[in-house]
Amino acid sequence: MPAALNEVKRRISSTQKTAQITTAMQMVSTSKLSQIQHHTSGYQIYAAKVESVVTHLAASHLLDSGSVSTPSTSSNDDVPASGLMTQRPVKKTGLLVVTSDRGLVGSYNSNIIKSTNDFMHQHGGSQNDYVVLAIGGTGADFYKKRGLNVAYEYRGVSDVPTFVEIREIVKTVVAMYNNGVFDELYVCYSHFVNRLTSRFRSTRMLPITSDTVIDTKPDGDESGSAKAAAAGINITPEYELEPSAEEILQVVLPQYAESLVYGAILDGKTSEHASSATAMQTASDNAHDLIGNLSLQYNRARQSAITTEITEITGGQAALE
């Protein structure tokens, strides 16, 4: 067999093996996507309830600075509520950037990093005015190489993250905020819309105030209170609080902070699995197209070689006659 045919045959075999790998990876990513979507659907009910409570507290001005005196200690040992409402002049802005630890996820990581960089540019200031808290190795490595202050990084987030591991992240983030490492915090991540579409979001997490709870809704998704305020309607809900506003805030605010971070990481992981499944499907389709083209090329070359051999035999036989 000619050397050219052997090379084409080798490429066909190699591409077939690659297609088998990408197809298997697509099936794994699709399975992970199904698992995390099932897990997220139950969590979203809880998150919506917590957000509803905090939104009503904000509408009743319980989150306004000075309206409630939060105790210095919290009944929640993991996430203290005392510092979540503390407002101070913004000298450093924290960015909690959620990316993946690995590649083979299409444009997932590049879109998040590009959009986060655009957010910093629009927000203003130099790179020294920002502190990066990286969830995922890709974002951590990217910003480290470019000289930004990566004050915290967390690698190895589970494919379907548990609430326990996220609480440790929230606890660390709140402690850094209380210690003055940054003066405000935005969570930057990829929001899952559907299997083919994701949308970048940057949600302000700290400090928790009436304005950030009511008015800062991703993608223009305003609460009913915010829409009423925009229409010039002044809503002042009245509540009978038991045991007290202080103790209610001690429970609700940490849960709200946890729900923001956990929801963002769940959302980002869902988008990651969807992007990985789509990328592997595209790779498999491209491999099959390449195999088809190579097979056609191989068959044509083989047919040409056979035709040449037949012609030579016929010509030799004619010469003998």
Side-chain angles (χ1 to χ4, degrees):
M1 186 177 291
L5 284 178
N6 282 332
E7 176 62 19
V8 174
K9 189 174 182 180
R10 185 193 63 79
R11 290 184 61 190
I12 291 174
S13 177
S14 175
T15 306
Q16 286 174 336
K17 293 177 181 178
T18 301
Q20 291 175 351
I21 294 173
T22 55
T23 300
M25 294 180 67
Q26 176 194 345
M27 294 174 63
V28 170
S29 295
T30 301
S31 176
K32 291 178 180 178
L33 176 61
S34 177
Q35 292 177 27
I36 198 169
Q37 283 183 304
H38 177 73
H39 179 78
T40 303
S41 62
Y43 170 75
Q44 286 175 340
I45 299 174
Y46 162 80
K49 292 296 184 181
V50 173
E51 181 179 349
S52 176
V53 171
V54 175
T55 300
H56 285 114
L57 292 176
S60 62
H61 309 294
L62 287 179
L63 300 182
D64 293 341
S65 179
S67 63
V68 175
S69 175
T70 52
S72 58
T73 60
S74 169
S75 59
N76 188 329
D77 295 332
D78 294 318
V79 182
S82 56
L84 295 174
M85 296 168 58
T86 303
Q87 300 182 58
R88 52 180 180 262
V90 178
K91 298 179 182 178
K92 294 278 188 179
T93 298
L95 300 175
L96 185 67
V97 184
V98 182
T99 59
S100 71
D101 289 309
R102 61 184 179 86
L104 300 178
V105 290
S107 60
Y108 171 77
N109 289 315
S110 59
N111 288 341
I112 294 174
I113 291 173
K114 179 182 181 300
S115 298
T116 301
N117 292 340
D118 292 341
F119 172 80
M120 286 191 284
H121 179 73
Q122 295 171 3
H123 201 65
S126 65
Q127 70 175 29
N128 294 327
D129 297 323
Y130 293 92
V131 177
V132 175
L133 295 85
I135 307 298
T138 302
D141 294 338
F142 177 87
Y143 287 110
K144 279 182 178 179
K145 290 180 181 178
R146 282 151 183 80
L148 272 77
N149 179 15
V150 180
Y152 174 75
E153 61 179 286
Y154 187 95
R155 300 172 186 255
V157 177
S158 305
D159 290 326
V160 181
T162 62
F163 194 72
V164 175
E165 63 179 316
I166 304 306
R167 292 189 74 179
E168 291 301 315
I169 296 175
V170 178
K171 181 180 178 180
T172 302
V173 168
V174 172
M176 294 174 68
Y177 177 74
N178 290 335
N179 292 332
V181 177
F182 46 85
D183 304 301
E184 63 177 354
L185 178 67
Y186 287 85
V187 184
C188 303
Y189 63 100
S190 178
H191 167 59
F192 174 79
V193 178
N194 54 53
R195 181 165 175 169
L196 299 177
T197 306
S198 296
R199 188 176 298 118
F200 176 77
R201 280 184 175 178
S202 56
T203 305
R204 191 181 184 191
M205 173 183 164
L206 295 174
I208 299 176
T209 65
S210 296
D211 291 337
T212 59
V213 171
I214 295 180
D215 297 329
T216 308
K217 296 291 180 183
D219 304 327
D221 182 19
E222 296 181 320
S223 65
S225 301
K227 293 177 180 178
I233 303 173
N234 186 19
I235 298 179
T236 308
E238 295 182 359
Y239 294 92
E240 292 182 1
L241 303 177
E242 186 179 344
S244 67
E246 290 86 350
E247 292 179 274
I248 291 174
L249 290 176
Q250 293 304 307
V251 175
V252 173
L253 289 187
Q255 291 181 358
Y256 178 67
E258 290 168 349
S259 70
L260 283 179
V261 177
Y262 187 51
I265 294 177
L266 272 181
D267 207 354
K269 272 292 180 180
T270 305
S271 181
E272 176 188 337
H273 295 324
S275 182
S276 177
T278 301
M280 291 303 99
Q281 180 179 358
T282 301
S284 298
D285 292 342
N286 291 339
H288 290 141
D289 290 342
L290 180 58
I291 290 171
N293 293 333
L294 289 173
S295 297
L296 181 61
Q297 180 182 343
Y298 175 81
N299 291 333
R300 284 178 175 175
R302 186 167 178 270
Q303 182 179 6
S304 176
I306 293 173
T307 302
T308 301
E309 290 179 4
I310 293 175
T311 302
E312 290 175 351
I313 295 172
T314 304
Q317 184 178 4
L320 292 176
E321 292 177 356

PDB file of all heavy atoms in Angstrom, residues 15-27 195-196 276-294:
ATOM      1  N   THR A  15      -8.560   9.877  14.353  1.00  0.00           N
ATOM      2  CA  THR A  15      -9.748  10.723  14.500  1.00  0.00           C
ATOM      3  C   THR A  15     -10.917   9.936  15.077  1.00  0.00           C
ATOM      4  O   THR A  15     -11.710  10.461  15.870  1.00  0.00           O
ATOM      5  CB  THR A  15     -10.144  11.328  13.143  1.00  0.00           C
ATOM      6  OG1 THR A  15      -9.013  12.003  12.575  1.00  0.00           O
ATOM      7  CG2 THR A  15     -11.272  12.335  13.311  1.00  0.00           C
ATOM      8  N   GLN A  16     -11.041   8.669  14.708  1.00  0.00           N
ATOM      9  CA  GLN A  16     -12.098   7.830  15.269  1.00  0.00           C
ATOM     10  C   GLN A  16     -11.928   7.673  16.786  1.00  0.00           C
ATOM     11  O   GLN A  16     -12.902   7.716  17.543  1.00  0.00           O
ATOM     12  CB  GLN A  16     -12.096   6.467  14.581  1.00  0.00           C
ATOM     13  CG  GLN A  16     -12.650   6.477  13.168  1.00  0.00           C
ATOM     14  CD  GLN A  16     -12.502   5.135  12.474  1.00  0.00           C
ATOM     15  OE1 GLN A  16     -11.633   4.321  12.830  1.00  0.00           O
ATOM     16  NE2 GLN A  16     -13.344   4.896  11.469  1.00  0.00           N
ATOM     17  N   LYS A  17     -10.691   7.484  17.222  1.00  0.00           N
ATOM     18  CA  LYS A  17     -10.432   7.367  18.657  1.00  0.00           C
ATOM     19  C   LYS A  17     -10.758   8.678  19.381  1.00  0.00           C
ATOM     20  O   LYS A  17     -11.324   8.671  20.481  1.00  0.00           O
ATOM     21  CB  LYS A  17      -8.977   6.986  18.897  1.00  0.00           C
ATOM     22  CG  LYS A  17      -8.626   5.585  18.412  1.00  0.00           C
ATOM     23  CD  LYS A  17      -7.151   5.276  18.604  1.00  0.00           C
ATOM     24  CE  LYS A  17      -6.807   3.885  18.085  1.00  0.00           C
ATOM     25  NZ  LYS A  17      -5.351   3.587  18.212  1.00  0.00           N
ATOM     26  N   THR A  18     -10.416   9.805  18.759  1.00  0.00           N
ATOM     27  CA  THR A  18     -10.741  11.110  19.344  1.00  0.00           C
ATOM     28  C   THR A  18     -12.246  11.301  19.451  1.00  0.00           C
ATOM     29  O   THR A  18     -12.754  11.804  20.461  1.00  0.00           O
ATOM     30  CB  THR A  18     -10.126  12.242  18.502  1.00  0.00           C
ATOM     31  OG1 THR A  18      -8.700  12.079  18.436  1.00  0.00           O
ATOM     32  CG2 THR A  18     -10.450  13.606  19.096  1.00  0.00           C
ATOM     33  N   ALA A  19     -12.968  10.885  18.411  1.00  0.00           N
ATOM     34  CA  ALA A  19     -14.432  11.007  18.422  1.00  0.00           C
ATOM     35  C   ALA A  19     -15.040  10.165  19.538  1.00  0.00           C
ATOM     36  O   ALA A  19     -16.021  10.573  20.175  1.00  0.00           O
ATOM     37  CB  ALA A  19     -15.005  10.593  17.068  1.00  0.00           C
ATOM     38  N   GLN A  20     -14.470   8.997  19.785  1.00  0.00           N
ATOM     39  CA  GLN A  20     -14.972   8.154  20.873  1.00  0.00           C
ATOM     40  C   GLN A  20     -14.782   8.841  22.223  1.00  0.00           C
ATOM     41  O   GLN A  20     -15.663   8.799  23.096  1.00  0.00           O
ATOM     42  CB  GLN A  20     -14.249   6.807  20.863  1.00  0.00           C
ATOM     43  CG  GLN A  20     -14.601   5.917  19.678  1.00  0.00           C
ATOM     44  CD  GLN A  20     -13.773   4.642  19.641  1.00  0.00           C
ATOM     45  OE1 GLN A  20     -12.821   4.492  20.397  1.00  0.00           O
ATOM     46  NE2 GLN A  20     -14.138   3.722  18.758  1.00  0.00           N
ATOM     47  N   ILE A  21     -13.638   9.505  22.392  1.00  0.00           N
ATOM     48  CA  ILE A  21     -13.359  10.205  23.654  1.00  0.00           C
ATOM     49  C   ILE A  21     -14.303  11.384  23.839  1.00  0.00           C
ATOM     50  O   ILE A  21     -14.902  11.566  24.912  1.00  0.00           O
ATOM     51  CB  ILE A  21     -11.894  10.683  23.686  1.00  0.00           C
ATOM     52  CG1 ILE A  21     -10.941   9.481  23.713  1.00  0.00           C
ATOM     53  CG2 ILE A  21     -11.640  11.578  24.899  1.00  0.00           C
ATOM     54  CD1 ILE A  21      -9.475   9.849  23.583  1.00  0.00           C
ATOM     55  N   THR A  22     -14.452  12.212  22.807  1.00  0.00           N
ATOM     56  CA  THR A  22     -15.311  13.394  22.928  1.00  0.00           C
ATOM     57  C   THR A  22     -16.777  13.005  23.108  1.00  0.00           C
ATOM     58  O   THR A  22     -17.519  13.681  23.826  1.00  0.00           O
ATOM     59  CB  THR A  22     -15.157  14.299  21.695  1.00  0.00           C
ATOM     60  OG1 THR A  22     -15.411  13.545  20.499  1.00  0.00           O
ATOM     61  CG2 THR A  22     -13.760  14.889  21.630  1.00  0.00           C
ATOM     62  N   THR A  23     -17.198  11.913  22.482  1.00  0.00           N
ATOM     63  CA  THR A  23     -18.579  11.448  22.662  1.00  0.00           C
ATOM     64  C   THR A  23     -18.808  10.990  24.099  1.00  0.00           C
ATOM     65  O   THR A  23     -19.849  11.288  24.701  1.00  0.00           O
ATOM     66  CB  THR A  23     -18.892  10.297  21.692  1.00  0.00           C
ATOM     67  OG1 THR A  23     -18.726  10.748  20.352  1.00  0.00           O
ATOM     68  CG2 THR A  23     -20.320   9.813  21.877  1.00  0.00           C
ATOM     69  N   ALA A  24     -17.828  10.268  24.665  1.00  0.00           N
ATOM     70  CA  ALA A  24     -17.941   9.837  26.057  1.00  0.00           C
ATOM     71  C   ALA A  24     -17.967  11.038  26.998  1.00  0.00           C
ATOM     72  O   ALA A  24     -18.761  11.086  27.959  1.00  0.00           O
ATOM     73  CB  ALA A  24     -16.773   8.919  26.408  1.00  0.00           C
ATOM     74  N   MET A  25     -17.127  12.050  26.730  1.00  0.00           N
ATOM     75  CA  MET A  25     -17.095  13.253  27.569  1.00  0.00           C
ATOM     76  C   MET A  25     -18.408  14.029  27.458  1.00  0.00           C
ATOM     77  O   MET A  25     -18.877  14.617  28.435  1.00  0.00           O
ATOM     78  CB  MET A  25     -15.914  14.133  27.177  1.00  0.00           C
ATOM     79  CG  MET A  25     -14.560  13.503  27.464  1.00  0.00           C
ATOM     80  SD  MET A  25     -13.164  14.549  26.987  1.00  0.00           S
ATOM     81  CE  MET A  25     -13.345  15.888  28.154  1.00  0.00           C
ATOM     82  N   GLN A  26     -18.996  14.034  26.259  1.00  0.00           N
ATOM     83  CA  GLN A  26     -20.293  14.684  26.088  1.00  0.00           C
ATOM     84  C   GLN A  26     -21.361  13.998  26.935  1.00  0.00           C
ATOM     85  O   GLN A  26     -22.177  14.668  27.593  1.00  0.00           O
ATOM     86  CB  GLN A  26     -20.702  14.650  24.617  1.00  0.00           C
ATOM     87  CG  GLN A  26     -22.100  15.226  24.364  1.00  0.00           C
ATOM     88  CD  GLN A  26     -22.622  14.879  22.983  1.00  0.00           C
ATOM     89  OE1 GLN A  26     -21.851  14.460  22.122  1.00  0.00           O
ATOM     90  NE2 GLN A  26     -23.919  15.029  22.785  1.00  0.00           N
ATOM     91  N   MET A  27     -21.346  12.677  26.964  1.00  0.00           N
ATOM     92  CA  MET A  27     -22.327  11.933  27.757  1.00  0.00           C
ATOM     93  C   MET A  27     -22.140  12.201  29.249  1.00  0.00           C
ATOM     94  O   MET A  27     -23.120  12.369  29.985  1.00  0.00           O
ATOM     95  CB  MET A  27     -22.196  10.437  27.463  1.00  0.00           C
ATOM     96  CG  MET A  27     -22.561  10.046  26.041  1.00  0.00           C
ATOM     97  SD  MET A  27     -22.223   8.303  25.669  1.00  0.00           S
ATOM     98  CE  MET A  27     -23.341   7.509  26.823  1.00  0.00           C
ATOM     99  N   ARG A 195     -29.328  25.252  27.378  1.00  0.00           N
ATOM    100  CA  ARG A 195     -28.123  24.475  27.067  1.00  0.00           C
ATOM    101  C   ARG A 195     -27.198  25.190  26.097  1.00  0.00           C
ATOM    102  O   ARG A 195     -25.984  24.978  26.113  1.00  0.00           O
ATOM    103  CB  ARG A 195     -28.536  23.117  26.502  1.00  0.00           C
ATOM    104  CG  ARG A 195     -27.357  22.222  26.175  1.00  0.00           C
ATOM    105  CD  ARG A 195     -27.771  20.800  25.983  1.00  0.00           C
ATOM    106  NE  ARG A 195     -26.647  19.965  25.554  1.00  0.00           N
ATOM    107  CZ  ARG A 195     -26.668  18.656  25.512  1.00  0.00           C
ATOM    108  NH1 ARG A 195     -27.755  18.012  25.878  1.00  0.00           N
ATOM    109  NH2 ARG A 195     -25.613  17.973  25.102  1.00  0.00           N
ATOM    110  N   LEU A 196     -27.736  26.067  25.269  1.00  0.00           N
ATOM    111  CA  LEU A 196     -26.923  26.751  24.263  1.00  0.00           C
ATOM    112  C   LEU A 196     -26.601  28.194  24.635  1.00  0.00           C
ATOM    113  O   LEU A 196     -25.773  28.826  23.975  1.00  0.00           O
ATOM    114  CB  LEU A 196     -27.630  26.727  22.897  1.00  0.00           C
ATOM    115  CG  LEU A 196     -27.897  25.342  22.298  1.00  0.00           C
ATOM    116  CD1 LEU A 196     -28.654  25.477  20.994  1.00  0.00           C
ATOM    117  CD2 LEU A 196     -26.591  24.582  22.086  1.00  0.00           C
ATOM    118  N   SER A 276     -19.627  22.515  28.413  1.00  0.00           N
ATOM    119  CA  SER A 276     -18.779  21.352  28.143  1.00  0.00           C
ATOM    120  C   SER A 276     -19.493  20.359  27.235  1.00  0.00           C
ATOM    121  O   SER A 276     -18.898  19.832  26.280  1.00  0.00           O
ATOM    122  CB  SER A 276     -18.402  20.679  29.463  1.00  0.00           C
ATOM    123  OG  SER A 276     -17.635  19.515  29.234  1.00  0.00           O
ATOM    124  N   ALA A 277     -20.777  20.091  27.508  1.00  0.00           N
ATOM    125  CA  ALA A 277     -21.539  19.159  26.675  1.00  0.00           C
ATOM    126  C   ALA A 277     -21.637  19.662  25.240  1.00  0.00           C
ATOM    127  O   ALA A 277     -21.483  18.897  24.281  1.00  0.00           O
ATOM    128  CB  ALA A 277     -22.929  18.943  27.274  1.00  0.00           C
ATOM    129  N   THR A 278     -21.885  20.960  25.089  1.00  0.00           N
ATOM    130  CA  THR A 278     -21.992  21.541  23.744  1.00  0.00           C
ATOM    131  C   THR A 278     -20.659  21.494  23.016  1.00  0.00           C
ATOM    132  O   THR A 278     -20.599  21.166  21.825  1.00  0.00           O
ATOM    133  CB  THR A 278     -22.481  22.998  23.843  1.00  0.00           C
ATOM    134  OG1 THR A 278     -23.752  23.030  24.505  1.00  0.00           O
ATOM    135  CG2 THR A 278     -22.615  23.618  22.462  1.00  0.00           C
ATOM    136  N   ALA A 279     -19.566  21.820  23.741  1.00  0.00           N
ATOM    137  CA  ALA A 279     -18.240  21.800  23.123  1.00  0.00           C
ATOM    138  C   ALA A 279     -17.857  20.390  22.677  1.00  0.00           C
ATOM    139  O   ALA A 279     -17.309  20.196  21.583  1.00  0.00           O
ATOM    140  CB  ALA A 279     -17.202  22.343  24.101  1.00  0.00           C
ATOM    141  N   MET A 280     -18.141  19.387  23.518  1.00  0.00           N
ATOM    142  CA  MET A 280     -17.806  18.012  23.161  1.00  0.00           C
ATOM    143  C   MET A 280     -18.679  17.501  22.014  1.00  0.00           C
ATOM    144  O   MET A 280     -18.223  16.733  21.174  1.00  0.00           O
ATOM    145  CB  MET A 280     -17.960  17.108  24.382  1.00  0.00           C
ATOM    146  CG  MET A 280     -16.930  17.360  25.476  1.00  0.00           C
ATOM    147  SD  MET A 280     -15.207  17.214  24.921  1.00  0.00           S
ATOM    148  CE  MET A 280     -14.768  18.952  24.655  1.00  0.00           C
ATOM    149  N   GLN A 281     -19.945  17.934  21.967  1.00  0.00           N
ATOM    150  CA  GLN A 281     -20.800  17.545  20.844  1.00  0.00           C
ATOM    151  C   GLN A 281     -20.276  18.150  19.548  1.00  0.00           C
ATOM    152  O   GLN A 281     -20.232  17.478  18.507  1.00  0.00           O
ATOM    153  CB  GLN A 281     -22.233  18.001  21.091  1.00  0.00           C
ATOM    154  CG  GLN A 281     -23.185  17.628  19.958  1.00  0.00           C
ATOM    155  CD  GLN A 281     -24.617  18.071  20.230  1.00  0.00           C
ATOM    156  OE1 GLN A 281     -24.914  18.634  21.277  1.00  0.00           O
ATOM    157  NE2 GLN A 281     -25.498  17.814  19.282  1.00  0.00           N
ATOM    158  N   THR A 282     -19.867  19.414  19.609  1.00  0.00           N
ATOM    159  CA  THR A 282     -19.300  20.067  18.427  1.00  0.00           C
ATOM    160  C   THR A 282     -18.023  19.365  17.982  1.00  0.00           C
ATOM    161  O   THR A 282     -17.796  19.150  16.785  1.00  0.00           O
ATOM    162  CB  THR A 282     -19.008  21.542  18.729  1.00  0.00           C
ATOM    163  OG1 THR A 282     -20.221  22.204  19.129  1.00  0.00           O
ATOM    164  CG2 THR A 282     -18.438  22.248  17.504  1.00  0.00           C
ATOM    165  N   ALA A 283     -17.177  19.001  18.961  1.00  0.00           N
ATOM    166  CA  ALA A 283     -15.939  18.298  18.632  1.00  0.00           C
ATOM    167  C   ALA A 283     -16.230  16.942  17.996  1.00  0.00           C
ATOM    168  O   ALA A 283     -15.561  16.538  17.032  1.00  0.00           O
ATOM    169  CB  ALA A 283     -15.094  18.126  19.893  1.00  0.00           C
ATOM    170  N   SER A 284     -17.218  16.241  18.522  1.00  0.00           N
ATOM    171  CA  SER A 284     -17.584  14.942  17.954  1.00  0.00           C
ATOM    172  C   SER A 284     -18.113  15.094  16.529  1.00  0.00           C
ATOM    173  O   SER A 284     -17.762  14.313  15.631  1.00  0.00           O
ATOM    174  CB  SER A 284     -18.636  14.256  18.833  1.00  0.00           C
ATOM    175  OG  SER A 284     -18.133  14.007  20.131  1.00  0.00           O
ATOM    176  N   ASP A 285     -18.955  16.092  16.316  1.00  0.00           N
ATOM    177  CA  ASP A 285     -19.496  16.336  14.971  1.00  0.00           C
ATOM    178  C   ASP A 285     -18.376  16.684  13.995  1.00  0.00           C
ATOM    179  O   ASP A 285     -18.363  16.199  12.850  1.00  0.00           O
ATOM    180  CB  ASP A 285     -20.525  17.466  15.016  1.00  0.00           C
ATOM    181  CG  ASP A 285     -21.784  17.082  15.783  1.00  0.00           C
ATOM    182  OD1 ASP A 285     -22.002  15.873  15.983  1.00  0.00           O
ATOM    183  OD2 ASP A 285     -22.531  17.997  16.198  1.00  0.00           O
ATOM    184  N   ASN A 286     -17.440  17.522  14.441  1.00  0.00           N
ATOM    185  CA  ASN A 286     -16.315  17.877  13.570  1.00  0.00           C
ATOM    186  C   ASN A 286     -15.451  16.656  13.262  1.00  0.00           C
ATOM    187  O   ASN A 286     -14.955  16.505  12.133  1.00  0.00           O
ATOM    188  CB  ASN A 286     -15.467  18.962  14.231  1.00  0.00           C
ATOM    189  CG  ASN A 286     -16.192  20.304  14.305  1.00  0.00           C
ATOM    190  OD1 ASN A 286     -17.134  20.548  13.550  1.00  0.00           O
ATOM    191  ND2 ASN A 286     -15.755  21.170  15.204  1.00  0.00           N
ATOM    192  N   ALA A 287     -15.259  15.790  14.264  1.00  0.00           N
ATOM    193  CA  ALA A 287     -14.467  14.576  14.045  1.00  0.00           C
ATOM    194  C   ALA A 287     -15.139  13.658  13.033  1.00  0.00           C
ATOM    195  O   ALA A 287     -14.470  13.101  12.149  1.00  0.00           O
ATOM    196  CB  ALA A 287     -14.265  13.851  15.376  1.00  0.00           C
ATOM    197  N   HIS A 288     -16.452  13.511  13.140  1.00  0.00           N
ATOM    198  CA  HIS A 288     -17.163  12.661  12.192  1.00  0.00           C
ATOM    199  C   HIS A 288     -17.119  13.254  10.776  1.00  0.00           C
ATOM    200  O   HIS A 288     -17.007  12.504   9.792  1.00  0.00           O
ATOM    201  CB  HIS A 288     -18.611  12.476  12.645  1.00  0.00           C
ATOM    202  CG  HIS A 288     -18.739  11.637  13.880  1.00  0.00           C
ATOM    203  ND1 HIS A 288     -19.654  11.918  14.881  1.00  0.00           N
ATOM    204  CD2 HIS A 288     -18.064  10.537  14.295  1.00  0.00           C
ATOM    205  CE1 HIS A 288     -19.530  11.021  15.847  1.00  0.00           C
ATOM    206  NE2 HIS A 288     -18.569  10.172  15.509  1.00  0.00           N
ATOM    207  N   ASP A 289     -17.207  14.574  10.679  1.00  0.00           N
ATOM    208  CA  ASP A 289     -17.084  15.214   9.363  1.00  0.00           C
ATOM    209  C   ASP A 289     -15.692  14.978   8.777  1.00  0.00           C
ATOM    210  O   ASP A 289     -15.553  14.699   7.571  1.00  0.00           O
ATOM    211  CB  ASP A 289     -17.342  16.718   9.485  1.00  0.00           C
ATOM    212  CG  ASP A 289     -18.796  17.039   9.775  1.00  0.00           C
ATOM    213  OD1 ASP A 289     -19.646  16.162   9.542  1.00  0.00           O
ATOM    214  OD2 ASP A 289     -19.081  18.162  10.251  1.00  0.00           O
ATOM    215  N   LEU A 290     -14.679  15.093   9.639  1.00  0.00           N
ATOM    216  CA  LEU A 290     -13.303  14.876   9.176  1.00  0.00           C
ATOM    217  C   LEU A 290     -13.100  13.419   8.744  1.00  0.00           C
ATOM    218  O   LEU A 290     -12.449  13.146   7.723  1.00  0.00           O
ATOM    219  CB  LEU A 290     -12.319  15.241  10.282  1.00  0.00           C
ATOM    220  CG  LEU A 290     -10.827  15.075   9.959  1.00  0.00           C
ATOM    221  CD1 LEU A 290     -10.447  15.905   8.741  1.00  0.00           C
ATOM    222  CD2 LEU A 290      -9.975  15.465  11.164  1.00  0.00           C
ATOM    223  N   ILE A 291     -13.680  12.484   9.509  1.00  0.00           N
ATOM    224  CA  ILE A 291     -13.575  11.067   9.152  1.00  0.00           C
ATOM    225  C   ILE A 291     -14.230  10.818   7.786  1.00  0.00           C
ATOM    226  O   ILE A 291     -13.700  10.078   6.943  1.00  0.00           O
ATOM    227  CB  ILE A 291     -14.237  10.187  10.230  1.00  0.00           C
ATOM    228  CG1 ILE A 291     -13.399  10.213  11.517  1.00  0.00           C
ATOM    229  CG2 ILE A 291     -14.402   8.756   9.741  1.00  0.00           C
ATOM    230  CD1 ILE A 291     -14.091   9.560  12.702  1.00  0.00           C
ATOM    231  N   GLY A 292     -15.388  11.447   7.558  1.00  0.00           N
ATOM    232  CA  GLY A 292     -16.052  11.299   6.267  1.00  0.00           C
ATOM    233  C   GLY A 292     -15.208  11.823   5.123  1.00  0.00           C
ATOM    234  O   GLY A 292     -15.091  11.171   4.070  1.00  0.00           O
ATOM    235  N   ASN A 293     -14.585  12.994   5.322  1.00  0.00           N
ATOM    236  CA  ASN A 293     -13.736  13.574   4.270  1.00  0.00           C
ATOM    237  C   ASN A 293     -12.494  12.713   4.023  1.00  0.00           C
ATOM    238  O   ASN A 293     -12.088  12.496   2.873  1.00  0.00           O
ATOM    239  CB  ASN A 293     -13.318  14.989   4.649  1.00  0.00           C
ATOM    240  CG  ASN A 293     -14.493  15.962   4.672  1.00  0.00           C
ATOM    241  OD1 ASN A 293     -15.488  15.748   3.964  1.00  0.00           O
ATOM    242  ND2 ASN A 293     -14.400  17.005   5.466  1.00  0.00           N
ATOM    243  N   LEU A 294     -11.884  12.233   5.124  1.00  0.00           N
ATOM    244  CA  LEU A 294     -10.695  11.391   4.987  1.00  0.00           C
ATOM    245  C   LEU A 294     -11.031  10.058   4.325  1.00  0.00           C
ATOM    246  O   LEU A 294     -10.241   9.534   3.517  1.00  0.00           O
ATOM    247  CB  LEU A 294     -10.052  11.163   6.358  1.00  0.00           C
ATOM    248  CG  LEU A 294      -9.354  12.370   6.994  1.00  0.00           C
ATOM    249  CD1 LEU A 294      -8.909  12.038   8.419  1.00  0.00           C
ATOM    250  CD2 LEU A 294      -8.147  12.801   6.156  1.00  0.00           C
TER     251      LEU A 294
END
